[in-house]
Amino acid sequence: MFDRCGIIGFTGDCDAKDILLGGLRTLEYRGYDSAGIAFFSEGKIKTIKTVGKVDCLCDKVATEVEDATTCGIGHTRWATHGGVTDTNSHPHTFGNVTLIHNGIIENYQELANELAKEGKKPVSQTDTEIAAMVIDSEYEGEPYEAIKKACDRLDGAYGFCIMFADRPGEIYSIRNGSPLVATYAPETGAIIASDMVALISYSKDYFVLPEQKIAKLTKEGIVVTDLSGAPFEPEMLHVNWDVAAARKDGYEYFMLKEIHEQPQALMKTITPRIVDDLPDFTTDGIGDDIFAGIDRVVIVGCGTAMHAGLVGKAMIEKLAGVLTSVEIASEFRYANPILSDKTLVIAISQSGETADTLAAIRLAKEKNAKTLSVVNVKGSTIARESDYVLYTHAGPEIAVASTKAYTVQLAAMYLIAFRMAYINKTVSDEAIKGLIKCLRRVPKDVEKMLKYDAQIENISNILNKAENLFFIGRGLDYALSCEGSIKLKEISYIHSEAYAAGELKHGTISLITDNIPVIAIATQNHVYGKTISNVKEVRSRGANVILITNEGVSVDPALCDHQITLPRMDDRFAPFSAAVVLQFIAYYASVHRGLNVDQPRNLAKSVTVE
Ligand code: F6R
């Protein structure tokens, strides 16, 4: 099940409606089938909610609300429990409690049965309303006590913003799993949300609300306490991006903007980790002890992050000579994996909140493995729970399909492989310096790839009528095929499969018939001839081939419909350039079909429950 909601709460001296609606627009990527706000108006809580995008909510608020308000909560939803209806939209009110929720209450049916015995019935089909009912049933005028008792009864993931009818101007928040970040800006007020993008207009300094701590927001400030009411000082964090990063800046979609942000993101991720032409994690506080004495690396992640792990595995094994496996985090957590204190578990996650990846890290720690995470969001749960964290510096990624977060994850994995090789002395210092030189060049290489935009837009027309297609490649090109395939599927809804090119003939080639598109990636010199043989096999069965190669190889024009040539480079670094090609292919396939590129159906940016 997915966590697909964006939540925001504000109390202060400004008009809360503007802040809530503005915040919901920035959070819309987290959920986009209905939206709502609730706010104090003349001492009472008023709720406006509707099916549709945040724009629909804004229209409704503009026509229905005249009164100003300074305290309220807002929500943008993607339905999980209960269909897409006005009634099921958040906020939900029961008795004294008005609530917005991001997450899933797993024991909601059991709780609903208990409440029914007391004669209490919900009006919606949501687990959230049940949570509101539970909090209300525990409320006797004391918010902390009610929240504590209610949370003892709730199983599952939640980020809550709660208003009590008899406590105007106050918002209470608590979370378990689902993210919540907060800031207090003296000129504006106190604000809490699922993501920093909703806070950035007001402050670059913020804190992550720790799990099972309660934040009380008033116009005077934010007080954080533990469940027993003892004060707690959260760690303040600072972001190094600004409000422009959370806007489209003239691009039609965030995804296109984020593709174009890759050179910068790569530069920011790579440069601080190079000292004297060698990989260096001193400023990250990552000591070499984490790599010393390791006999195995296990990389865990989901989706695109896991695909970055496939490239990481190849680099670590090739350079550092350490046996490495890549595990899908949702499988790993239930597989009773064999781990020891000589295993290094590397978790890769853009959001740092993915539930399966977090569970994998927790399991690894339980089994005494060392843990290192590669994470983009500062202060996120995975980052905080790992022994060490190597932050990528992609800035906020808003489009659901990951682009810049993926290429910076690759860069981080290259740096880790280089450092391990350096420590293990499996590669000479001179050779490491040579690799670092190539890595330094990557932002420029990727910049050149951005100019392929128009060519790929044109080539992508070949996919306009496709219902199925294949990505094939060997070695690193196979890892890239996996990434190309997920990108295309998620935003264009074209079914595709990634295949190790040599594996086709063991069954799958029977699906290759006239005009089936095949995107063949052949950038790896040592298997180039082999991949080309596989291209010949599909071509002779009628496939329409888009062939991605390095510059300088001569290809029989009869072998493909289109050839995309990557600028000359050491082929170990081709994944960065090939990734851009694949991102553009997916992007234009989606655009040509008239789809919403940034907000594909059924998907959430951050999957914080199972
Ligand atoms: C695909 C995509 C997802 C994420 C996956 C893990 O474009 O974005 O496959 O990579 O959900 O998310 P994080 O990296 O936040 O753990």
Side-chain angles (χ1 to χ4, degrees), residues 247-372:
R247 293 201 188 121
K248 279 195 213 157
D249 269 352
Y251 286 93
E252 195 176 354
Y253 286 103
F254 276 111
M255 181 176 174
L256 190 60
K257 175 177 178 247
E258 288 161 6
I259 290 173
H260 281 262
E261 284 171 345
Q262 290 179 107
Q264 265 305 98
L266 283 160
M267 184 87 81
K268 285 187 184 162
T269 301
I270 295 168
T271 314
R273 278 76 187 236
I274 299 175
V275 177
D276 295 337
D277 297 330
L278 287 168
D280 191 302
F281 298 141
T282 312
T283 54
D284 299 287
I286 302 175
D288 283 342
D289 54 307
I290 192 154
F291 302 120
I294 288 299
D295 63 11
R296 199 158 68 91
V297 174
V298 177
I299 302 174
V300 290
C302 300
T304 286
M306 190 269 290
H307 297 155
L310 296 174
V311 176
K313 166 190 156 78
M315 298 312 290
I316 292 172
E317 288 193 335
K318 201 179 294 202
L319 298 172
V322 182
L323 181 69
T324 302
S325 60
V326 180
E327 308 289 339
I328 297 168
S330 56
E331 290 293 310
F332 178 84
R333 63 186 291 190
Y334 297 114
N336 196 16
I338 301 164
L339 304 172
S340 76
D341 57 359
K342 290 197 166 50
T343 316
L344 171 62
V345 174
I346 305 179
I348 308 180
S349 175
Q350 186 283 127
S351 61
E353 301 291 348
T354 300
D356 289 320
T357 313
L358 174 60
I361 277 288
R362 287 180 177 162
L363 182 63
K365 289 181 87 174
E366 240 172 75
K367 296 197 169 211
N368 294 323
K370 296 176 178 177
T371 55
L372 166 66

Side-chain angles (χ1 to χ4, degrees), residues 2 22 49 59 141 211 223 227 243 246 267 277 292 383 386 439 533 539 555 600:
F2 297 98
K49 52 189 188 176
D59 292 346
E211 285 182 284
V223 176
L227 292 177
V243 71
M267 184 87 81
D277 297 330
S386 309
L439 192 63
S533 302
R539 188 66 171 164
V555 173

Side-chain angles (χ1 to χ4, degrees), residues 119-413:
K120 293 176 182 167
K121 284 217 170 75
V123 294
S124 73
Q125 288 94 46
T126 64
D127 55 334
T128 303
E129 190 182 359
I130 301 296
M133 292 167 78
V134 172
I135 300 171
D136 180 70
S137 71
E138 301 290 355
Y139 187 60
E140 289 169 1
E142 219 314 303
Y144 287 98
E145 205 48 34
I147 293 169
K148 180 178 169 337
K149 285 186 179 159
C151 288
D152 281 347
R153 294 171 63 190
L154 302 174
D155 291 337
Y158 49 83
F160 289 139
C161 287
I162 311 159
M163 296 195 302
F164 294 90
D166 54 353
R167 291 191 165 258
E170 296 176 7
I171 295 168
Y172 294 82
S173 282
I174 188 164
R175 75 178 189 102
N176 189 46
S178 308
L180 276 176
V181 290
T183 193
Y184 180 71
E187 329 69 63
T188 320
I191 177 161
I192 189 159
S194 314
D195 191 321
M196 188 58 198
V197 293
L199 270 50
I200 190 73
S201 304
Y202 311 101
S203 177
K204 285 185 161 195
D205 298 305
Y206 70 105
F207 66 87
V208 177
L209 179 64
E211 285 182 284
Q212 296 303 311
K213 301 279 184 280
I214 299 176
K216 176 184 176 184
L217 284 74
T218 62
K219 68 178 189 162
E220 283 80 31
I222 305 177
V223 176
V224 180
T225 58
D226 65 17
L227 292 177
S228 68
F232 180 89
E233 203 54 56
E235 183 194 351
M236 290 307 292
L237 300 170
H238 181 80
V239 286
N240 59 1
W241 44 273
D242 59 21
V243 71
R247 293 201 188 121
K248 279 195 213 157
D249 269 352
Y251 286 93
E252 195 176 354
Y253 286 103
F254 276 111
M255 181 176 174
L256 190 60
K257 175 177 178 247
E258 288 161 6
I259 290 173
H260 281 262
E261 284 171 345
Q262 290 179 107
Q264 265 305 98
L266 283 160
M267 184 87 81
K268 285 187 184 162
T269 301
I270 295 168
T271 314
R273 278 76 187 236
I274 299 175
V275 177
D276 295 337
D277 297 330
L278 287 168
D280 191 302
F281 298 141
T282 312
T283 54
D284 299 287
I286 302 175
D288 283 342
D289 54 307
I290 192 154
F291 302 120
I294 288 299
D295 63 11
R296 199 158 68 91
V297 174
V298 177
I299 302 174
V300 290
C302 300
T304 286
M306 190 269 290
H307 297 155
L310 296 174
V311 176
K313 166 190 156 78
M315 298 312 290
I316 292 172
E317 288 193 335
K318 201 179 294 202
L319 298 172
V322 182
L323 181 69
T324 302
S325 60
V326 180
E327 308 289 339
I328 297 168
S330 56
E331 290 293 310
F332 178 84
R333 63 186 291 190
Y334 297 114
N336 196 16
I338 301 164
L339 304 172
S340 76
D341 57 359
K342 290 197 166 50
T343 316
L344 171 62
V345 174
I346 305 179
I348 308 180
S349 175
Q350 186 283 127
S351 61
E353 301 291 348
T354 300
D356 289 320
T357 313
L358 174 60
I361 277 288
R362 287 180 177 162
L363 182 63
K365 289 181 87 174
E366 240 172 75
K367 296 197 169 211
N368 294 323
K370 296 176 178 177
T371 55
L372 166 66
S373 60
V374 172
V375 167
N376 195 44
V377 177
K378 244 186 178 175
S380 54
T381 315
I382 293 172
R384 281 182 292 112
E385 293 205 12
S386 309
D387 296 328
Y388 293 102
V389 54
L390 185 64
Y391 281 114
T392 51
H393 296 301
E397 193 178 62
I398 311 278
V400 165
S402 188
T403 52
K404 59 177 179 171
Y406 170 71
T407 43
V408 294
Q409 284 163 354
L410 295 186
M413 293 312 295

Side-chain angles (χ1 to χ4, degrees), residues 449-525:
M449 295 310 301
L450 300 177
K451 302 209 172 80
Y452 284 48
D453 187 336
Q455 182 200 359
I456 298 173
E457 177 177 10
N458 198 25
I459 291 175
S460 299
N461 283 323
I462 205 175
L463 308 181
N464 284 355
K465 295 212 172 85
E467 281 172 12
N468 294 292
L469 70 88
F470 292 86
F471 288 83
I472 60 170
R474 289 171 180 253
L476 289 177
D477 291 333
Y478 171 58
L480 265 288
S481 297
C482 295
E483 177 53 15
S485 177
I486 194 177
K487 212 91 308 172
L488 185 79
K489 277 185 279 215
E490 68 181 322
I491 59 171
S492 75
Y493 315 151
I494 303 172
H495 171 251
S496 73
E497 279 194 57
Y499 250 80
E503 181 69 5
L504 270 182
K505 55 188 170 296
H506 298 289
T508 309
I509 201 158
S510 63
L511 293 172
I512 306 289
T513 53
D514 272 355
N515 303 324
I516 289 279
V518 172
I519 299 175
I521 314 175
T523 69
Q524 296 303 297
N525 298 335

